[in-house]
Amino acid sequence: MQNRYPLWKYLLIFTVAVLGFIYSAPNLYAPDPAVQVSGESSTMEIDEKVLAQIEAALGAAGIEYFGATSSGTSALIRLRNGDQQMLAKREIQQVLGNNYVVALSMASTTPAWLRAFGAEPMKLGLDLSGGVHFLMEVDTASAVARRQETNAEEMKDKLRRAKIRYSAIIANSDNVLVARFRTQELRDEALSSLRRDYDDLMFNTRNPTSDSGEFTFQAELSEAAVREIENYALSQNLVTLRNRINELGVSEPIVQRQGRNRIIVQLPGVQDTAEAKRIIGKTANLEFRLEATSDALVSAKEQFPFRNEQDQRRYGDAFLERQLILTGDHVANATSSFDPETNMPQVNITLDSVGGARMHRATRNSVGRRMGVLFIEYRTIMEPRVDASGETVEVPVQYVEKKIISLATIQSALGVQFRITGAESPAEASELALLLRAGALAAPMYFVEERTIGPSLGAENIKMGVTSVQWSMGLILLFLLFYYRMFGIFASVALTVNLLLLVAAMSLIGATLTMPGIAGIVLALGMAIDANVLIFSRIREELKDGAPPQAAIYNGYERAWGTILDANVTTLLVAVILYAIGTGPVQGFAVTLSLGILISMFTAIMGTRALANLVYGRNKSLKKLWI
């Protein structure tokens, strides 16, 4: 009996092994500590002049750097010493001012030929790179309550316009709208008028009369509508959080949803928990105001700069009326798109009903005038002060920043939905939509957990993780070589390829490596060698039973296959369940374990058999196996 593979199988195994090497290789190149600089808005340029300012500031501070580059909208400065990252960030921020975002970063050192294949290193989790971890709970119940209060106001407005008299419409503590009427006819008429406008409400008149003799109906949000409101509140808060975290200067922050009403925020590299909490929890808002006329009294107008640097250079400051039309709390949604007539970028804004009514009242007599959108931020900066002992210390200083993000002409009376034109690029329109959406949180959030992991602990975790993989690999290889000899060499080669493929797969899918993930790698290596132990033991049993060597190899692989498949499938099911019910690190462990099992099925069975076939398959007079 001959053990041979067709040529295509050898080529397949070789190709997969080469691809594994290429896509795992970037992890051998440690990234450079760096500082990344970008403008406060997407339209700000980072030109050679700004780059020269940065280099001059770093040179004056004695900070060693190299490879300073500018891409037009951002600059990257690599540092020779990671300990000087924070110092470099502070110096650059001081020289450029608060109109620029200065972020800590890790610059990739992956060679160009690897990047040409799309190969990138794995991302490191919080426990490996250090930083802060927050678990925040979104008060979605308040978002639901706010929706019912808005519905109550809308119903009142509709009934007034329909001239249907009501005694009261209120939202009770259970988020149920209760409407009271003096006669049954008025109640039925109101129900008939309102039902078609509120598909997400379930109306009922189970309690036909109240204690006071009035006729009532109740309106309750459906479960689907409640879920939709909760999802919107959570998504809106995620957008707002990501927008705010950008100011922290964090490389690859993790802001993700957990369950129905929680958000995980992980900021690798950030050690100042207080600063992180201050910025994440800060408030921002929007105001819509009409542009002040030239003859307006000084007391009736205010002067504001533009947020966009180009607009500021082009138009200078603008005067807006002190009287507000409405605030950003009434913005329900904002998206960017293109004007179908001019193909220019625009921002589509949707207000709630109260905001729509106010907007209509303010703009119906102001067609042709311009309306400004004012972005208000409550910010905190660290200013150097000299204390009583004569030492320079940094003191947090809070201030309010108000800048115009849009000043556009009103072309018709505006209502619940309108659009803002005048954006010079799709990026500017997209950013404006983001600012409008991120102006305020859709629902309050509370910190329910916070942890800080030091960078030294992260580095120690990496060291321990690599050591554990090295020791586990080393001991397994020694055991294999000692116990299974030539077949031990086959298994060792397959195990090495297994590790390469596992790292390559995690890099390709963008998985984040954490300590549980490393544990998953170590366990996957043990699982991989399990399959080989089963196969090799089966071959030994066949030889003891008197089977010829070629038949022993063939039967060993064929008869062990069923047992290996059963064992791996059951473990894979456990990993799938872990991923489904687990969160964060548990899911990372499950992903690593699942990938390891699937890859081990390929390397432990197909890989080692290909090597055995190459060495023994063509030997027709094989008398003995070195196993």
Side-chain angles (χ1 to χ4, degrees):
M1 182 175 289
Q2 299 297 303
N3 290 289
R4 293 183 182 178
Y5 267 166
L7 180 61
W8 69 267
K9 276 197 176 181
Y10 292 116
L11 290 176
L12 173 66
I13 295 168
F14 178 76
T15 304
V16 171
V18 170
L19 290 176
F21 172 76
I22 290 174
Y23 286 99
S24 61
N27 296 284
L28 297 174
Y29 299 91
D32 291 326
V35 176
Q36 191 170 13
V37 181
S38 58
E40 195 175 38
S41 71
S42 60
T43 56
M44 287 180 68
E45 291 185 4
I46 309 293
D47 52 18
E48 293 299 323
K49 185 179 175 183
V50 176
L51 201 59
Q53 280 184 282
I54 295 171
E55 293 186 89
L58 294 178
I63 299 171
E64 294 185 9
Y65 68 96
F66 66 100
T69 57
S70 170
S71 64
T73 55
S74 68
L76 186 71
I77 300 96
R78 296 171 188 260
L79 305 175
R80 297 196 183 280
N81 190 343
D83 296 337
Q84 292 187 315
Q85 250 185 322
M86 286 303 297
L87 179 60
K89 178 179 182 288
R90 190 161 52 244
E91 293 293 333
I92 294 172
Q93 192 75 71
Q94 282 182 358
V95 72
L96 294 183
N98 293 321
N99 290 332
Y100 292 85
V101 178
V102 184
L104 304 183
S105 180
M106 299 301 287
S108 172
T109 57
T110 305
W113 71 272
L114 283 174
R115 290 203 302 273
F117 286 98
E120 293 291 341
M122 276 187 293
K123 298 173 184 174
L124 297 182
L126 193 70
D127 50 354
L128 297 181
S129 59
V132 293
H133 165 101
F134 295 119
L135 179 61
M136 310 182 77
E137 189 169 287
V138 181
D139 186 6
T140 52
S142 69
V144 176
R146 189 186 301 174
R147 171 66 70 87
Q148 285 294 65
E149 289 170 4
T150 303
N151 285 339
E153 294 301 320
E154 286 179 353
M155 286 181 180
K156 290 177 185 176
D157 189 49
K158 287 179 186 295
L159 294 180
R160 274 197 297 270
R161 281 189 275 115
K163 297 182 179 178
I164 301 173
R165 290 179 176 275
Y166 59 89
S167 301
I169 301 178
I170 58 169
N172 64 21
S173 57
D174 296 326
N175 292 327
V176 177
L177 290 180
V178 180
R180 302 177 188 279
F181 300 86
R182 291 186 177 176
T183 67
Q184 184 173 351
E185 289 74 19
L186 285 172
R187 183 196 64 185
D188 294 343
E189 192 178 353
L191 270 176
S192 175
S193 173
L194 295 173
R195 275 186 198 277
R196 57 177 175 268
D197 293 332
Y198 294 92
D199 297 335
D200 55 350
L201 287 177
M202 297 183 296
F203 292 88
N204 70 75
T205 55
R206 286 192 295 257
N207 180 18
T209 57
S210 67
D211 295 339
S212 60
E214 292 182 320
F215 291 82
T216 68
F217 74 75
Q218 299 175 343
E220 188 176 357
L221 283 165
S222 64
E223 183 62 26
V226 172
R227 286 295 182 99
E228 185 184 347
I229 294 168
E230 290 178 347
N231 286 334
Y232 174 78
L234 212 61
S235 303
Q236 177 68 22
N237 282 16
L238 279 170
V239 172
T240 307
L241 275 178
R242 290 192 179 111
N243 195 32
R244 293 176 180 182
I245 286 169
N246 285 340
E247 293 187 30
L248 278 171
V250 180
S251 164
E252 297 178 356
I254 295 175
V255 183
Q256 62 186 24
R257 177 176 182 165
Q258 185 187 60
R260 190 168 172 174
N261 63 344
R262 289 189 168 185
I263 294 175
I264 290 177
V265 179
Q266 293 186 344
L267 309 175
V270 172
Q271 297 303 313
D272 189 345
T273 311
E275 183 190 2
K277 286 181 70 175
R278 189 167 54 244
I279 293 181
I280 290 173
K282 75 177 183 179
T283 56
N285 208 342
L286 298 171
E287 289 179 359
F288 293 83
R289 304 189 192 193
L290 288 173
E291 185 183 28
T293 56
S294 56
D295 57 348
L297 297 174
V298 175
S299 58
K301 62 184 180 183
E302 281 185 275
Q303 186 176 4
F304 299 103
F306 282 87
R307 195 167 190 268
N308 185 311
E309 200 176 55
Q310 288 183 354
D311 287 343
Q312 181 63 26
R313 282 199 298 264
R314 190 181 303 166
Y315 307 117
D317 291 354
F319 286 91
L320 301 182
E321 291 184 351
R322 287 184 181 276
Q323 185 176 1
L324 304 183
I325 299 175
L326 52 88
T327 64
D329 296 341
H330 295 284
V331 175
N333 194 15
T335 58
S336 61
S337 65
F338 289 92
D339 188 332
E341 296 177 358
T342 63
N343 205 30
M344 293 296 290
Q346 64 180 19
V347 179
N348 307 304
I349 296 176
T350 304
L351 301 175
D352 59 20
S353 60
V354 177
R358 290 181 185 173
M359 182 63 75
H360 183 75
R361 281 198 298 271
T363 57
R364 63 189 173 191
N365 297 322
S366 303
V367 175
R369 292 180 64 184
R370 297 201 295 178
M371 182 179 70
V373 182
L374 204 59
F375 186 70
I376 305 167
E377 275 188 291
Y378 301 88
R379 306 180 69 169
T380 302
I381 58 172
M382 303 300 289
E383 282 192 358
R385 300 277 176 84
V386 179
D387 62 10
S389 61
E391 294 184 356
T392 302
V393 295
E394 290 193 333
V395 180
V397 177
Q398 296 179 342
Y399 68 100
V400 181
E401 185 178 271
K402 297 183 178 182
K403 290 186 177 180
I404 296 171
I405 56 176
S406 171
L407 187 60
T409 303
I410 301 170
Q411 297 178 349
S412 62
L414 306 178
V416 172
Q417 290 186 328
F418 60 94
R419 60 179 181 167
I420 295 176
T421 58
E424 294 186 349
S425 66
E428 186 181 342
S430 178
E431 185 178 82
L432 178 55
L434 177 68
L435 289 175
L436 288 166
R437 289 197 306 269
L441 295 170
M445 287 193 299
Y446 306 98
F447 291 92
V448 294
E449 181 186 322
E450 62 179 82
R451 295 199 307 266
T452 303
I453 299 172
S456 56
L457 181 58
E460 186 68 20
N461 285 340
I462 293 176
K463 186 179 175 183
M464 287 191 298
V466 172
T467 304
S468 65
V469 173
Q470 288 173 339
W471 272 99
S472 58
M473 276 284 289
L475 289 174
I476 290 171
L477 294 181
L478 278 176
F479 170 78
L480 290 171
L481 293 173
F482 175 76
Y483 202 68
Y484 293 110
R485 301 172 188 177
M486 179 57 78
F487 280 81
I489 295 174
F490 300 157
S492 302
V493 173
L495 197 61
T496 306
V497 175
N498 183 308
L499 184 59
L500 285 178
L501 292 178
L502 184 53
V503 173
M506 292 184 67
S507 302
L508 272 175
I509 65 174
T512 301
L513 184 65
T514 60
M515 279 300 284
I518 293 178
I521 291 176
V522 174
L523 183 58
L525 291 177
M527 296 280 300
I529 213 59
D530 243 12
N532 287 125
V533 169
L534 285 171
I535 294 168
F536 300 159
S537 298
R538 188 72 197 181
I539 292 174
R540 279 183 167 175
E541 289 175 7
E542 294 287 332
L543 290 172
K544 283 181 182 175
D545 292 342
Q550 292 288 3
I553 294 173
Y554 182 84
N555 292 334
Y557 276 97
E558 292 298 321
R559 292 175 181 173
W561 162 248
T563 309
I564 295 168
L565 182 64
D566 291 346
N568 283 318
V569 166
T570 50
T571 310
L572 192 60
L573 286 174
V574 173
V576 170
I577 293 169
L578 274 178
Y579 184 84
I581 64 173
T583 58
V586 178
Q587 286 184 327
F589 174 80
V591 168
T592 312
L593 184 60
S594 303
L595 287 173
I597 291 169
L598 295 174
I599 293 170
S600 72
M601 296 279 283
F602 174 78
T603 56
I605 300 172
M606 206 166 166
T608 57
R609 189 164 188 180
L611 292 171
N613 290 350
L614 281 174
V615 174
Y616 296 115
R618 294 181 183 276
N619 191 348
K620 296 180 180 177
S621 58
L622 184 64
K623 300 296 183 187
K624 185 179 179 183
L625 290 179
W626 197 34
I627 184 170

